[in-house]
Short mmCIF file of all heavy atoms in Angstrom, two decimals:
data_model
loop_
_atom_site.label_atom_id
_atom_site.label_comp_id
_atom_site.label_asym_id
_atom_site.label_seq_id
_atom_site.Cartn_x
_atom_site.Cartn_y
_atom_site.Cartn_z
N ALA A 7 -152.46 -80.03 -178.95
CA ALA A 7 -151.59 -79.63 -177.83
C ALA A 7 -150.21 -80.26 -177.99
O ALA A 7 -149.19 -79.62 -177.70
CB ALA A 7 -152.22 -80.04 -176.50
N PHE A 8 -150.18 -81.49 -178.45
CA PHE A 8 -148.89 -82.15 -178.69
C PHE A 8 -148.09 -81.42 -179.77
O PHE A 8 -146.89 -81.16 -179.61
CB PHE A 8 -149.12 -83.61 -179.10
CG PHE A 8 -147.88 -84.29 -179.60
CD1 PHE A 8 -146.90 -84.70 -178.73
CD2 PHE A 8 -147.70 -84.51 -180.96
CE1 PHE A 8 -145.75 -85.32 -179.17
CE2 PHE A 8 -146.56 -85.12 -181.42
CZ PHE A 8 -145.57 -85.53 -180.54
N ILE A 9 -148.76 -81.06 -180.86
CA ILE A 9 -148.09 -80.34 -181.96
C ILE A 9 -147.59 -78.98 -181.46
O ILE A 9 -146.45 -78.58 -181.75
CB ILE A 9 -149.04 -80.17 -183.16
CG1 ILE A 9 -149.42 -81.53 -183.74
CG2 ILE A 9 -148.45 -79.26 -184.22
CD1 ILE A 9 -148.27 -82.31 -184.32
N ALA A 10 -148.43 -78.26 -180.71
CA ALA A 10 -148.03 -76.94 -180.21
C ALA A 10 -146.84 -77.06 -179.27
O ALA A 10 -145.92 -76.23 -179.30
CB ALA A 10 -149.21 -76.28 -179.49
N THR A 11 -146.81 -78.09 -178.45
CA THR A 11 -145.68 -78.30 -177.54
C THR A 11 -144.42 -78.61 -178.32
O THR A 11 -143.33 -78.11 -177.99
CB THR A 11 -145.99 -79.43 -176.55
OG1 THR A 11 -147.20 -79.11 -175.86
CG2 THR A 11 -144.87 -79.62 -175.55
N ALA A 12 -144.54 -79.42 -179.37
CA ALA A 12 -143.37 -79.73 -180.20
C ALA A 12 -142.84 -78.48 -180.88
O ALA A 12 -141.61 -78.29 -180.98
CB ALA A 12 -143.75 -80.79 -181.25
N VAL A 13 -143.73 -77.60 -181.33
CA VAL A 13 -143.29 -76.35 -181.97
C VAL A 13 -142.54 -75.48 -180.97
O VAL A 13 -141.52 -74.86 -181.29
CB VAL A 13 -144.50 -75.59 -182.56
CG1 VAL A 13 -144.15 -74.16 -182.92
CG2 VAL A 13 -145.03 -76.32 -183.78
N VAL A 14 -143.02 -75.45 -179.73
CA VAL A 14 -142.38 -74.62 -178.71
C VAL A 14 -140.99 -75.16 -178.36
O VAL A 14 -140.05 -74.41 -178.14
CB VAL A 14 -143.27 -74.54 -177.44
CG1 VAL A 14 -142.53 -73.93 -176.28
CG2 VAL A 14 -144.52 -73.74 -177.75
N VAL A 15 -140.85 -76.47 -178.33
CA VAL A 15 -139.58 -77.08 -177.93
C VAL A 15 -138.48 -76.80 -178.94
O VAL A 15 -137.33 -76.56 -178.57
CB VAL A 15 -139.77 -78.60 -177.73
CG1 VAL A 15 -138.44 -79.31 -177.57
CG2 VAL A 15 -140.65 -78.85 -176.52
N PHE A 16 -138.82 -76.82 -180.21
CA PHE A 16 -137.79 -76.62 -181.23
C PHE A 16 -137.69 -75.14 -181.59
O PHE A 16 -138.63 -74.53 -182.09
CB PHE A 16 -138.11 -77.46 -182.47
CG PHE A 16 -138.12 -78.93 -182.18
CD1 PHE A 16 -139.32 -79.63 -182.09
CD2 PHE A 16 -136.93 -79.61 -181.93
CE1 PHE A 16 -139.34 -80.98 -181.80
CE2 PHE A 16 -136.94 -80.96 -181.63
CZ PHE A 16 -138.14 -81.66 -181.56
N ASN A 17 -136.50 -74.56 -181.33
CA ASN A 17 -136.29 -73.12 -181.51
C ASN A 17 -136.52 -72.65 -182.94
O ASN A 17 -137.07 -71.58 -183.15
CB ASN A 17 -134.88 -72.73 -181.07
CG ASN A 17 -134.79 -72.55 -179.57
OD1 ASN A 17 -135.79 -72.30 -178.91
ND2 ASN A 17 -133.59 -72.69 -179.04
N LYS A 18 -136.08 -73.44 -183.93
CA LYS A 18 -136.21 -73.00 -185.33
C LYS A 18 -137.68 -72.81 -185.71
O LYS A 18 -138.04 -71.81 -186.31
CB LYS A 18 -135.54 -74.00 -186.27
CG LYS A 18 -134.05 -73.91 -186.30
CD LYS A 18 -133.48 -74.81 -187.37
CE LYS A 18 -131.97 -74.68 -187.41
NZ LYS A 18 -131.39 -75.50 -188.46
N SER A 19 -138.51 -73.77 -185.36
CA SER A 19 -139.93 -73.64 -185.72
C SER A 19 -140.60 -72.52 -184.92
O SER A 19 -141.42 -71.78 -185.46
CB SER A 19 -140.66 -74.97 -185.50
OG SER A 19 -140.56 -75.34 -184.14
N PHE A 20 -140.22 -72.36 -183.67
CA PHE A 20 -140.81 -71.30 -182.85
C PHE A 20 -140.42 -69.93 -183.39
O PHE A 20 -141.26 -69.04 -183.49
CB PHE A 20 -140.36 -71.47 -181.39
CG PHE A 20 -141.14 -70.60 -180.44
CD1 PHE A 20 -142.37 -71.03 -179.97
CD2 PHE A 20 -140.66 -69.38 -180.03
CE1 PHE A 20 -143.10 -70.24 -179.10
CE2 PHE A 20 -141.38 -68.58 -179.17
CZ PHE A 20 -142.61 -69.02 -178.70
N LYS A 21 -139.13 -69.76 -183.74
CA LYS A 21 -138.67 -68.47 -184.27
C LYS A 21 -139.28 -68.19 -185.64
O LYS A 21 -139.55 -67.05 -185.98
CB LYS A 21 -137.15 -68.45 -184.36
CG LYS A 21 -136.48 -68.28 -183.01
CD LYS A 21 -134.97 -68.21 -183.15
CE LYS A 21 -134.34 -67.99 -181.79
NZ LYS A 21 -132.87 -67.90 -181.89
N ALA A 22 -139.54 -69.25 -186.41
CA ALA A 22 -140.16 -69.05 -187.72
C ALA A 22 -141.58 -68.52 -187.57
O ALA A 22 -142.04 -67.72 -188.39
CB ALA A 22 -140.16 -70.36 -188.51
N ILE A 23 -142.26 -68.94 -186.53
CA ILE A 23 -143.64 -68.50 -186.31
C ILE A 23 -143.69 -67.14 -185.63
O ILE A 23 -144.46 -66.26 -186.03
CB ILE A 23 -144.41 -69.55 -185.48
CG1 ILE A 23 -144.55 -70.84 -186.28
CG2 ILE A 23 -145.78 -69.03 -185.07
CD1 ILE A 23 -145.08 -72.02 -185.49
N PHE A 24 -142.89 -66.94 -184.58
CA PHE A 24 -142.99 -65.73 -183.76
C PHE A 24 -141.93 -64.68 -184.06
O PHE A 24 -141.90 -63.64 -183.42
CB PHE A 24 -142.93 -66.11 -182.28
CG PHE A 24 -144.16 -66.87 -181.83
CD1 PHE A 24 -144.15 -68.24 -181.73
CD2 PHE A 24 -145.33 -66.19 -181.55
CE1 PHE A 24 -145.27 -68.94 -181.34
CE2 PHE A 24 -146.46 -66.88 -181.17
CZ PHE A 24 -146.44 -68.25 -181.06
N GLY A 25 -141.04 -64.93 -185.00
CA GLY A 25 -140.06 -63.93 -185.41
C GLY A 25 -138.65 -64.30 -185.00
O GLY A 25 -138.43 -64.91 -183.96
N GLU A 26 -137.72 -63.91 -185.85
CA GLU A 26 -136.30 -64.24 -185.65
C GLU A 26 -135.62 -63.28 -184.69
O GLU A 26 -134.57 -63.59 -184.14
CB GLU A 26 -135.56 -64.21 -187.00
CG GLU A 26 -135.98 -65.26 -187.98
CD GLU A 26 -135.43 -66.63 -187.64
OE1 GLU A 26 -134.42 -66.73 -186.93
OE2 GLU A 26 -136.05 -67.61 -188.09
N ASP A 27 -136.19 -62.11 -184.45
CA ASP A 27 -135.49 -61.08 -183.69
C ASP A 27 -135.76 -61.13 -182.19
O ASP A 27 -135.51 -60.16 -181.49
CB ASP A 27 -135.84 -59.70 -184.26
CG ASP A 27 -137.33 -59.45 -184.24
OD1 ASP A 27 -138.11 -60.42 -184.11
OD2 ASP A 27 -137.74 -58.28 -184.36
N LEU A 28 -136.24 -62.25 -181.67
CA LEU A 28 -136.49 -62.37 -180.24
C LEU A 28 -135.18 -62.63 -179.50
O LEU A 28 -134.38 -63.47 -179.90
CB LEU A 28 -137.45 -63.52 -179.95
CG LEU A 28 -138.89 -63.36 -180.45
CD1 LEU A 28 -139.66 -64.64 -180.21
CD2 LEU A 28 -139.56 -62.20 -179.75
N GLY A 29 -134.97 -61.88 -178.43
CA GLY A 29 -133.80 -62.12 -177.60
C GLY A 29 -134.03 -63.34 -176.71
O GLY A 29 -135.13 -63.92 -176.68
N PRO A 30 -133.01 -63.78 -175.96
CA PRO A 30 -133.15 -64.97 -175.14
C PRO A 30 -134.26 -64.86 -174.08
O PRO A 30 -135.01 -65.81 -173.87
CB PRO A 30 -131.79 -65.13 -174.47
CG PRO A 30 -130.88 -64.15 -175.09
CD PRO A 30 -131.69 -63.21 -175.90
N GLU A 31 -134.38 -63.69 -173.46
CA GLU A 31 -135.42 -63.53 -172.44
C GLU A 31 -136.82 -63.48 -173.07
O GLU A 31 -137.75 -64.11 -172.58
CB GLU A 31 -135.18 -62.26 -171.63
CG GLU A 31 -134.08 -62.39 -170.62
CD GLU A 31 -133.97 -61.14 -169.75
OE1 GLU A 31 -134.99 -60.46 -169.55
OE2 GLU A 31 -132.85 -60.86 -169.31
N ALA A 32 -136.94 -62.76 -174.16
CA ALA A 32 -138.23 -62.67 -174.85
C ALA A 32 -138.63 -64.04 -175.41
O ALA A 32 -139.81 -64.42 -175.35
CB ALA A 32 -138.18 -61.64 -175.97
N LEU A 33 -137.67 -64.78 -175.91
CA LEU A 33 -137.94 -66.11 -176.44
C LEU A 33 -138.46 -67.03 -175.33
O LEU A 33 -139.47 -67.72 -175.51
CB LEU A 33 -136.67 -66.70 -177.06
CG LEU A 33 -136.80 -68.08 -177.67
CD1 LEU A 33 -137.72 -68.04 -178.88
CD2 LEU A 33 -135.43 -68.63 -178.07
N ALA A 34 -137.82 -67.00 -174.18
CA ALA A 34 -138.26 -67.84 -173.05
C ALA A 34 -139.64 -67.42 -172.56
O ALA A 34 -140.50 -68.26 -172.30
CB ALA A 34 -137.24 -67.75 -171.91
N THR A 35 -139.88 -66.10 -172.48
CA THR A 35 -141.18 -65.60 -172.04
C THR A 35 -142.28 -66.01 -173.01
O THR A 35 -143.35 -66.46 -172.60
CB THR A 35 -141.14 -64.06 -171.90
OG1 THR A 35 -140.08 -63.71 -171.01
CG2 THR A 35 -142.45 -63.53 -171.40
N HIS A 36 -142.04 -65.87 -174.29
CA HIS A 36 -143.02 -66.25 -175.30
C HIS A 36 -143.31 -67.75 -175.26
O HIS A 36 -144.46 -68.18 -175.41
CB HIS A 36 -142.55 -65.84 -176.69
CG HIS A 36 -142.73 -64.39 -176.99
ND1 HIS A 36 -141.93 -63.42 -176.43
CD2 HIS A 36 -143.62 -63.75 -177.77
CE1 HIS A 36 -142.31 -62.23 -176.87
NE2 HIS A 36 -143.35 -62.40 -177.69
N LYS A 37 -142.25 -68.55 -175.07
CA LYS A 37 -142.44 -70.00 -175.00
C LYS A 37 -143.31 -70.39 -173.81
O LYS A 37 -144.22 -71.21 -173.93
CB LYS A 37 -141.08 -70.72 -174.93
CG LYS A 37 -140.38 -70.82 -176.23
CD LYS A 37 -139.13 -71.67 -176.08
CE LYS A 37 -138.49 -71.90 -177.43
NZ LYS A 37 -137.41 -72.88 -177.35
N VAL A 38 -143.03 -69.80 -172.66
CA VAL A 38 -143.82 -70.09 -171.46
C VAL A 38 -145.28 -69.67 -171.68
O VAL A 38 -146.21 -70.40 -171.34
CB VAL A 38 -143.22 -69.41 -170.22
CG1 VAL A 38 -144.16 -69.47 -169.04
CG2 VAL A 38 -141.89 -70.06 -169.86
N ALA A 39 -145.46 -68.49 -172.26
CA ALA A 39 -146.83 -68.00 -172.51
C ALA A 39 -147.59 -68.94 -173.44
O ALA A 39 -148.77 -69.24 -173.21
CB ALA A 39 -146.78 -66.59 -173.08
N VAL A 40 -146.93 -69.39 -174.50
CA VAL A 40 -147.59 -70.30 -175.44
C VAL A 40 -147.91 -71.63 -174.76
O VAL A 40 -149.01 -72.18 -174.92
CB VAL A 40 -146.72 -70.50 -176.71
CG1 VAL A 40 -147.24 -71.65 -177.56
CG2 VAL A 40 -146.67 -69.23 -177.52
N LEU A 41 -146.97 -72.16 -174.00
CA LEU A 41 -147.23 -73.44 -173.30
C LEU A 41 -148.38 -73.32 -172.31
O LEU A 41 -149.24 -74.20 -172.23
CB LEU A 41 -145.97 -73.92 -172.60
CG LEU A 41 -144.95 -74.63 -173.47
CD1 LEU A 41 -143.71 -74.99 -172.66
CD2 LEU A 41 -145.54 -75.88 -174.09
N VAL A 42 -148.40 -72.23 -171.54
CA VAL A 42 -149.49 -72.04 -170.58
C VAL A 42 -150.83 -71.91 -171.32
O VAL A 42 -151.84 -72.50 -170.90
CB VAL A 42 -149.22 -70.80 -169.69
CG1 VAL A 42 -150.45 -70.40 -168.91
CG2 VAL A 42 -148.06 -71.10 -168.75
N ALA A 43 -150.85 -71.18 -172.42
CA ALA A 43 -152.08 -71.02 -173.20
C ALA A 43 -152.55 -72.36 -173.77
O ALA A 43 -153.75 -72.68 -173.75
CB ALA A 43 -151.88 -70.01 -174.31
N VAL A 44 -151.62 -73.16 -174.25
CA VAL A 44 -151.98 -74.48 -174.81
C VAL A 44 -152.52 -75.39 -173.71
O VAL A 44 -153.55 -76.06 -173.89
CB VAL A 44 -150.75 -75.12 -175.50
CG1 VAL A 44 -150.98 -76.59 -175.79
CG2 VAL A 44 -150.42 -74.37 -176.78
N ILE A 45 -151.87 -75.40 -172.57
CA ILE A 45 -152.33 -76.25 -171.46
C ILE A 45 -153.70 -75.78 -170.98
O ILE A 45 -154.60 -76.59 -170.74
CB ILE A 45 -151.29 -76.24 -170.31
CG1 ILE A 45 -150.04 -76.98 -170.74
CG2 ILE A 45 -151.88 -76.86 -169.05
CD1 ILE A 45 -148.86 -76.81 -169.81
N ALA A 46 -153.90 -74.47 -170.85
CA ALA A 46 -155.18 -73.95 -170.40
C ALA A 46 -156.29 -74.27 -171.40
O ALA A 46 -157.39 -74.66 -171.01
CB ALA A 46 -155.09 -72.44 -170.19
N ALA A 47 -156.00 -74.13 -172.68
CA ALA A 47 -157.02 -74.44 -173.70
C ALA A 47 -157.37 -75.92 -173.67
O ALA A 47 -158.55 -76.29 -173.72
CB ALA A 47 -156.51 -74.03 -175.08
#
């Protein structure tokens, strides 16, 4: 969970995993979704 949170916080690593073509809103939505999924798991 710590590693997943660190990946979400840093934009370069997050974009490398989920794609470079995410807009600002999509990027924020994806980050929130990943954080919620990590916390729930």
Side-chain angles (χ1 to χ4, degrees):
F8 170 75
I9 296 297
T11 304
V13 166
V14 169
V15 169
F16 298 106
N17 278 337
K18 283 187 179 182
S19 59
F20 192 83
K21 285 182 178 181
I23 294 170
F24 292 99
E26 294 284 337
D27 57 343
L28 293 174
E31 284 185 29
L33 181 66
T35 304
H36 282 74
K37 282 186 174 188
V38 169
V40 168
L41 280 177
V42 167
V44 166
I45 291 169

